[in-house]
Amino acid sequence: MAASTELQIDRPHCRAICDEIGWRLRIMLDRETTPLPPRLQALLLRLAAQELAGSPSTAPSTDDTIRQDRAEDGTGPILAA
C-alpha cells in the first residue's frame, strides 16, 4: 500500500498561502504589462470624464410623481416647479 502524500492545512494557513501567491503574481504581472492601445486609452479617459461630470437621472423625481398624482385625482393644487 502506498503512503498518503496528501497534505492537510488549516483555513488560516491556506488563506495566507493564497494571499502570498496573489501578491507575488500581482508584482510579476505589473512588470510585464504593456500599455493600452491608444484607442482604448482614449475611451477609458472619456469614460472617466463622464463619470466625473455626472449624468442626469432618468428616473422621475418625487416632486414630479406627487404632481402627477394630484393632477389625476384632483385633490389638491399642483405646485409649479
Side-chain angles (χ1 to χ4, degrees):
M1 182 168 181
S4 176
T5 58
E6 186 176 319
L7 178 63
Q8 299 277 329
I9 57 174
D10 59 2
R11 185 177 294 262
H13 286 99
C14 181
R15 180 78 260 152
I17 291 168
C18 290
D19 289 344
E20 182 70 19
I21 291 169
W23 181 76
R24 290 181 187 205
L25 281 172
R26 276 190 294 279
I27 290 172
M28 289 174 55
L29 294 175
D30 279 345
R31 284 188 238 152
E32 297 175 7
T33 57
T34 57
L36 292 174
R39 174 70 177 145
L40 185 55
Q41 182 65 38
L43 290 172
L44 286 173
L45 290 173
R46 184 174 161 198
L47 178 62
Q50 287 177 350
E51 286 179 349
L52 288 176
S55 60
S57 175
T58 58
S61 71
T62 55
D63 292 338
D64 293 339
T65 305
I66 292 170
R67 279 191 215 106
Q68 287 177 354
D69 291 343
R70 287 184 180 169
E72 290 173 1
D73 64 11
T75 59
I78 300 173
L79 303 174

